[in-house]
């Protein structure tokens, strides 16, 4: 598959997308920029892009291997990966196992309370509106996704949660919650849904299972230390980094 960069298609807060010679694939470049609170807090964290490139490759490849389709094709270099181009559904799909973040704030549930069952929430992707929480009825009424797609999205979200929870627990990490984005594959006729964007400590809450230490973007959001150190710890638990990277992001 072609992986020669052509032109910049889109620049977001953490990534840049480039077209390739193949209309079905694009290059996803991970930047070192960290933002929070809709980019009100912003900082360059050296090595973050490299870490998220390796971590997202790892999680997406594992999901592909159990037939939860993702956009990931292959990693190209330290900061870039080749991914399948798709039509992004404008929703942030959040799954929560333990109360934290905006759920705790909105409903007054103490952080760290395990939920009776995994909770799936949808946020409408619109920075201008601050990504508001939306209902299933709003999603189908405004045709952001069809009812059939919504059913599939629930299934993908819950299967992903079960699988990633187990994978992470094996290295003593608790998956508190995470966000995924879903796209419609442009390749298949039958509107197949695939996981897109990234899965990394930027988009998950990961707590050490024993000490409850946060090893995710909350370290940055709440000024609790260095995310380069925290993300390196996650990557090292899976032994993902080449030797030279292990020291570069200390
Ligand atoms: P929240 O508690 O702030 O709603 O976040 C829930 C999960 O979604 C958490 O794992 C962080 C992730 N997330 C993103 O990936 N991007 C975002 O813009 C936000 C607000 C949350
Ligand atoms: N990614 C979002 C932002 O920049 C919010 C967050 O992750 O907290 O600003």
């Amino acid at each position: 598959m072609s992986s020669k960069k052509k032109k910049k298609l889109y620049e977001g807060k953490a990534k840049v997308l480039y077209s390739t010679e193949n209309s079905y694939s694009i290059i996803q470049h991970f930047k070192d920029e960290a933002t929070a609170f809709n980019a009100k807090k912003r900082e360059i964290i050296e090595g973050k892009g490299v870490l998220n490139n390796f971590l997202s490759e790892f999680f997406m490849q594992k999901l592909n291997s159990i037939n939860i389709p993702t956009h990931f094709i292959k990693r190209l270099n330290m900061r870039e990966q080749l991914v399948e181009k798709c039509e992004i559904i404008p929703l942030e799909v959040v799954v929560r196992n333990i109360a934290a973040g905006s759920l705790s704030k909105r409903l007054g549930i103490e952080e760290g309370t395990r939920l009776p069952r995994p909770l799936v929430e949808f946020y409408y992707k619109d920075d201008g509106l601050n990504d508001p929480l939306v209902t299933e009825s709003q999603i189908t009424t405004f045709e952001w996704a069809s009812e059939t797609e919504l059913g599939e999205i629930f299934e993908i979200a819950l299967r992903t949660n079960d699988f990633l929870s187990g994978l992470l627990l094996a290295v003593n990490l608790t998956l508190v919650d995470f966000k995924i984005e879903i796209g419609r594959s442009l390749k298949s006729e039958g509107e197949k849904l695939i996981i897109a964007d990234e899965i990394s400590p930027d988009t998950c809450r990961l707590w050490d299972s024993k000490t409850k230490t946060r090893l995710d973007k909350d370290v940055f959001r709440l000024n609790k230390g260095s995310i380069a150190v925290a993300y390196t710890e996650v990557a090292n638990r899976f032994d993902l980094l080449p030797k030279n990277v292990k020291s570069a992001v200390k």
Side-chain angles (χ1 to χ4, degrees):
M1 194 157 299
S2 165
S3 51
K4 240 171 94 193
K5 253 189 222 168
K6 281 180 72 191
K7 70 171 204 296
K8 194 195 267 194
L9 295 173
Y10 174 81
E11 177 153 6
K13 286 174 279 201
K15 295 183 292 294
V16 189
L17 302 179
Y18 298 92
S19 63
T20 67
E21 283 150 345
N22 180 317
S23 53
Y24 291 121
S25 55
I26 55 176
I27 291 170
Q28 179 164 262
H29 174 107
F30 288 78
K31 301 196 285 187
D32 279 346
E33 191 160 359
T35 67
F37 314 116
N38 206 1
K40 281 188 207 90
K41 182 174 161 75
R42 181 192 289 268
E43 213 175 292
I44 300 291
I45 315 272
E46 207 183 317
K48 172 180 169 284
V50 173
L51 285 157
N52 282 352
N53 187 24
F54 278 81
L55 280 156
S56 199
E57 171 192 21
F58 175 69
F59 293 125
M60 296 259 183
Q61 224 167 27
K62 291 280 181 198
L63 289 167
N64 282 342
S65 77
I66 60 151
N67 284 330
I68 298 180
T70 79
H71 71 163
F72 181 80
I73 301 169
K74 66 173 178 185
R75 187 170 55 76
L76 299 172
N77 54 48
M78 299 295 269
R79 290 185 176 274
E80 290 169 336
Q81 45 184 247
L82 190 68
V83 299
E84 187 182 330
K85 194 173 176 184
C86 61
E87 184 194 353
I88 293 283
I89 292 177
L91 296 173
E92 301 210 331
V93 181
V94 169
V95 184
R96 302 179 186 270
N97 298 303
I98 292 174
S102 71
L103 179 74
S104 290
K105 259 195 222 107
R106 188 177 304 111
L107 300 182
I109 305 172
E110 196 187 340
E111 272 217 336
T113 310
R114 185 161 277 280
L115 303 174
R117 59 191 171 112
L119 175 67
V120 181
E121 294 175 339
F122 301 100
Y123 294 82
Y124 180 53
K125 258 174 78 74
D126 185 327
D127 281 344
L129 297 174
N130 240 331
D131 297 345
L133 181 69
V134 290
T135 64
E136 287 169 51
S137 191
Q138 286 171 336
I139 292 168
T140 51
T141 298
F142 298 119
E143 296 182 345
W144 296 323
S146 70
E147 239 164 86
T148 313
E149 285 176 330
L150 203 51
E152 260 180 72
I153 292 172
F154 263 104
E155 196 187 315
I156 292 171
L158 291 172
R159 282 183 68 205
T160 300
N161 182 49
D162 281 349
F163 179 72
L164 291 184
S165 292
L167 188 70
L168 288 156
L169 200 56
V171 296
N172 278 317
L173 291 171
T174 300
L175 181 59
V176 172
D177 56 33
F178 65 94
K179 183 265 302 188
I180 49 175
E181 295 186 23
I182 293 189
R184 301 181 182 101
S185 171
L186 305 175
K187 269 204 239 162
S188 54
E189 305 247 311
E191 297 240 317
K192 186 176 137 197
L193 298 184
I194 60 177
I195 297 180
D197 192 56
E198 69 177 285
I199 301 178
S200 73
D202 266 11
T203 61
C204 301
R205 283 197 175 89
L206 302 172
W207 294 356
D208 181 275
S209 305
K210 294 200 179 90
T211 64
K212 311 285 181 238
T213 305
R214 293 165 199 259
L215 294 169
D216 55 57
K217 201 160 112 179
D218 273 351
V219 168
F220 172 73
R221 292 191 190 97
L222 309 172
N223 297 316
K224 284 187 180 276
S226 153
I227 57 171
V229 170
Y231 293 16
T232 302
E233 167 75 29
V234 176
N236 284 344
R237 288 197 192 188
F238 293 108
D239 204 16
L240 297 186
L241 302 178
K243 291 273 174 298
N244 57 332
V245 178
K246 267 181 201 166
S247 54
V249 291
K250 263 236 172 91

